[in-house]
Amino acid sequence: MVMRFYNTLGRKLEEFKPIKDKEVGMYTCGPTVYYYPHIGNLRAYVFADTLKRALTYNGFKVKHVMNITDVGHLTSDADTGEDKMEAAKKRERKSAWEIAKFYENAFLEDLNHLNLIKPDVLPRATEHIREQIDLVKEIEKNGFAYQTEDGIYFDTSKIPDYGKLALLKIEDLKAGARIEMVEGKRNPTDFALWKFSPKNEKRDMEWEFDLEKDGEKIKIMGFPGWHIECSAMSMKYLGKTFDIHTGGVDHIPIHHTNEIAQSEAAKGVGPAHFWMHNEFLIMKDGKMSKSKGEIVTLQDLMKKGYDPMDYKYLLLASHYRKQLSFTFEALDNAKNTMQRLRNIVLEIKSEDTSKVNEEYKKKFLEAINDDLGTPEALAVMWEMLRDSNLTNEEKYSTLLDFDKVLGLRLKEIKEEKVEVPDEVMKLVNEREDARANKDWAKADELRGKIKEFGYQLNDTADGVKISKE
Ligand code: AMP
Ligand code: ZN
């Protein structure tokens, strides 16, 4: 079946065709590990993971690369401000290396909690300095870079259609209204490929770069710009052009625009055929941002008694290209829906016979393959579960098949062990006797009494199941 995705490059739905038959190379901009990821960041990774699962479900073999930004991302996405890692080090009185390790682990834990399949490669920027320096030199050699007092900059005026991804109007930018100009930059959109370390400060993370200054060969300490890491590492692990690049919409105007410019300058081609971007998760008072402080983490939600799958359901119930406004009310709804789903799973749970209902599978695929329509896919799932023409075995197998894409851990749902007090057990047994005698009125009355104790009964083919309300 054909898969269609919305390509930011060109702003239209396009049929997906990989470069290599049945193999997909996919790159996702990963976390900047100077703090905990917030639940908005996690939307970006849930989106990428669902996309990867959908591709796999369609029979593609996906190689997924996600970088770890542990150096070079400044507090402004332009080239001003402090390196986020160095700023965190002052805040926490740890070394930048310790900060990176700590928050990378926190990030990996969240991936686990959310049942996201670990990317095949998770390269750290600091472990690919050689590749980044080589790429900077290649761009320089091809005539797209220049030196300033502060670093090596990319000359964006050399790329005639520089703003094509973001539909930037270069003329407006030249007017300079919104862009801070770093001294020595030739054009407002030029960006740092490599920054020199400040003269009066010893950074934790810095490396030697040899260059020519005033006709003399010198070595100078510095660190990579943020965009070059993604170009260098995607090229290393996926080749100069691959199939899909993902990230949040905030990356369109600067980070991804600059990745394209770097690839074109070095290799003459853009890095990816498809650029796919998730919209933001927003809080009541605007977008959630790590740098603004006020954030909600997955741990916060878990401490409040939510299961990570509740949050994931909330995300899947909304299309990735729509802004999603986060409220605890909406999360409570998702939690209730997940509880309903769990109860149904317990009811229909049987041996997975792999007897998938082909009609519903087709509908599910249609939804998923139409630009990752997860809300429609969930609607198909509920329709299937409600369909009385399907046996429980068929429902269960079809549901587990859908969960290959949804990733809601439905196979792991187990009967929660409930401690049932003797007096309730006595009523349950009395009710079983009443049912055996076809005394339905008495059975109903006893069900009511049991409910008063806070227990719920579910009559299944395997007998009565007792759960807490
Ligand atoms: P960062 O760790 O800041 O580099 O961001 C990691 C990923 O999260 C990037 O793909 C961002 O585009 C994305 N992102 C940041 N904030 C949000 C948000 N509020 N909602 C959705 N995605 C976001
Ligand atoms: Zn990136």
Side-chain angles (χ1 to χ4, degrees):
M1 197 185 282
V2 172
M3 297 186 92
R4 266 191 207 85
F5 298 134
Y6 184 82
N7 194 346
T8 307
L9 189 62
R11 298 283 196 283
K12 61 177 189 304
L13 272 177
E14 277 179 45
E15 184 177 332
F16 177 69
K17 284 207 186 97
I19 298 168
K20 278 196 220 148
D21 188 38
K22 288 287 160 197
E23 274 180 39
V24 177
M26 175 171 155
Y27 187 89
T28 298
C29 285
T32 310
V33 284
Y34 69 108
Y35 202 49
Y36 296 103
H38 57 61
I39 56 173
N41 297 132
L42 296 176
R43 185 181 195 195
Y45 310 126
V46 169
F47 154 61
D49 182 72
T50 313
L51 176 62
K52 171 170 68 176
R53 285 168 176 270
L55 288 159
T56 310
Y57 191 72
N58 275 271
F60 293 108
K61 190 172 177 317
V62 184
K63 179 169 179 187
H64 187 204
V65 180
M66 186 194 283
N67 65 306
I68 303 281
T69 300
D70 52 1
V71 66
H73 195 170
L74 304 189
T75 47
S76 140
D77 275 358
D79 297 297
T80 53
E82 216 179 348
D83 186 322
K84 292 184 180 191
M85 303 302 303
E86 297 282 325
K89 143 186 139 179
K90 288 174 198 156
R91 181 186 71 219
E92 299 193 15
R93 296 172 198 278
K94 287 184 191 160
S95 78
W97 297 100
E98 285 167 325
I99 300 269
K101 190 91 209 94
F102 180 85
Y103 290 114
E104 181 186 313
N105 281 338
F107 166 73
L108 293 177
E109 271 176 32
D110 281 358
L111 286 194
N112 246 329
H113 284 309
L114 283 165
N115 193 24
L116 307 188
I117 300 166
K118 207 168 163 189
D120 301 283
V121 196
L122 273 162
R124 299 187 184 103
T126 52
E127 289 173 2
H128 294 79
I129 297 298
R130 186 70 261 152
E131 289 84 347
Q132 295 177 72
I133 291 177
D134 288 349
L135 190 56
V136 172
K137 296 216 160 147
E138 201 173 344
I139 292 169
E140 235 181 343
K141 193 180 85 215
N142 292 349
F144 289 85
Y146 59 92
Q147 266 176 47
T148 72
E149 276 303 302
D150 156 269
I152 299 169
Y153 279 80
F154 190 104
D155 186 347
T156 53
S157 68
K158 297 267 170 73
I159 305 270
D161 55 355
Y162 170 77
K164 60 182 167 295
L165 181 71
L167 307 179
L168 298 175
K169 290 206 178 72
I170 304 299
E171 285 315 311
D172 291 355
L173 291 173
K174 277 194 180 142
R178 287 175 296 119
I179 301 247
E180 297 164 67
M181 270 297 260
V182 172
E183 221 180 289
K185 253 170 57 162
R186 293 181 189 162
N187 310 288
T189 46
D190 290 359
F191 57 91
L193 293 163
W194 188 267
K195 297 265 281 188
F196 304 139
S197 297
K199 291 194 177 67
N200 49 359
E201 198 184 312
K202 171 90 186 78
R203 287 174 51 97
D204 280 359
M205 293 173 163
E206 55 182 0
W207 298 266
E208 215 170 62
F209 193 104
D210 45 312
L211 50 85
E212 260 191 53
K213 209 168 179 201
D214 308 324
E216 221 185 297
K217 282 196 181 352
I218 59 160
K219 289 188 191 305
I220 183 164
M221 297 309 277
F223 58 99
W226 170 37
H227 321 299
I228 200 75
E229 65 167 277
C230 285
S231 293
M233 297 195 285
S234 65
M235 278 177 202
K236 173 164 179 174
Y237 295 104
L238 295 170
K240 63 181 178 188
T241 304
F242 49 93
D243 297 295
I244 305 177
H245 197 310
T246 78
V249 284
D250 56 327
H251 285 347
I252 301 170
I254 299 179
H255 185 50
H256 290 168
T257 288
N258 293 343
E259 273 187 52
I260 293 176
Q262 290 170 158
S263 277
E264 289 181 348
K267 308 290 179 194
V269 281
H273 285 180
F274 275 78
W275 289 85
M276 295 177 67
H277 295 96
N278 64 279
E279 251 300 346
F280 262 45
L281 179 86
I282 51 166
M283 301 301 270
K284 264 203 312 288
D285 44 358
K287 82 170 200 188
M288 177 161 352
S289 106
K290 274 196 269 197
S291 47
K292 275 203 254 156
E294 278 291 294
I295 66 162
V296 179
T297 65
L298 190 65
Q299 289 296 330
D300 292 336
L301 299 186
M302 287 162 70
K303 275 185 212 142
K304 285 183 194 280
Y306 295 99
D307 186 290
M309 293 305 108
D310 300 339
Y311 178 59
K312 193 165 179 182
Y313 191 95
L314 177 77
L315 294 180
L316 296 177
S318 155
H319 191 253
Y320 77 91
R321 281 199 295 118
K322 281 211 181 101
Q323 259 194 11
L324 175 59
S325 180
F326 179 83
T327 61
F328 278 97
E329 241 180 302
L331 186 60
D332 284 337
N333 280 336
K335 184 185 164 88
N336 290 339
T337 311
M338 270 310 290
Q339 194 50 47
R340 260 204 294 145
L341 188 55
R342 279 189 200 102
N343 291 342
I344 293 177
V345 170
L346 290 177
E347 222 177 285
I348 64 172
K349 201 168 169 134
S350 49
E351 284 298 302
D352 177 11
T353 55
S354 301
K355 207 176 139 213
V356 175
N357 182 286
E358 289 304 324
E359 218 171 292
Y360 281 108
K361 181 170 178 129
K362 187 164 167 275
K363 278 188 171 183
F364 183 82
L365 260 174
E366 267 164 13
I368 285 295
N369 290 359
D370 182 13
D371 196 27
L372 211 62
T374 51
E376 293 77 14
L378 287 174
V380 173
M381 177 193 81
W382 285 108
E383 194 193 328
M384 184 275 292
L385 290 173
R386 276 193 297 263
D387 190 338
S388 52
N389 294 319
L390 268 64
T391 62
N392 280 353
E393 285 78 13
E394 211 175 353
K395 284 184 186 178
Y396 187 60
S397 298
T398 310
L399 188 65
L400 291 194
D401 184 62
F402 292 178
D403 203 40
K404 290 179 192 159
V405 179
L406 303 172
L408 290 169
R409 293 195 196 279
L410 299 182
K411 199 176 181 164
E412 295 165 35
I413 291 174
K414 284 199 188 67
E415 203 87 53
E416 283 164 46
K417 273 234 168 323
V418 279
E419 295 289 325
V420 187
D422 289 347
E423 52 201 322
V424 175
M425 233 18 247
K426 200 166 151 263
L427 293 171
V428 171
N429 291 332
E430 277 176 34
R431 181 175 169 274
E432 285 300 281
D433 291 343
R435 270 159 47 88
N437 296 330
K438 299 199 172 12
D439 186 350
W440 308 120
K442 182 145 190 230
D444 277 353
E445 188 197 320
L446 287 161
R447 179 196 282 275
K449 279 194 183 157
I450 293 165
K451 196 170 159 48
E452 280 168 27
F453 280 97
Y455 292 85
Q456 197 172 284
L457 300 182
N458 211 340
D459 298 312
T460 74
D462 300 331
V464 64
K465 299 252 157 74
I466 311 167
S467 56
K468 259 198 136 55
E469 282 205 302

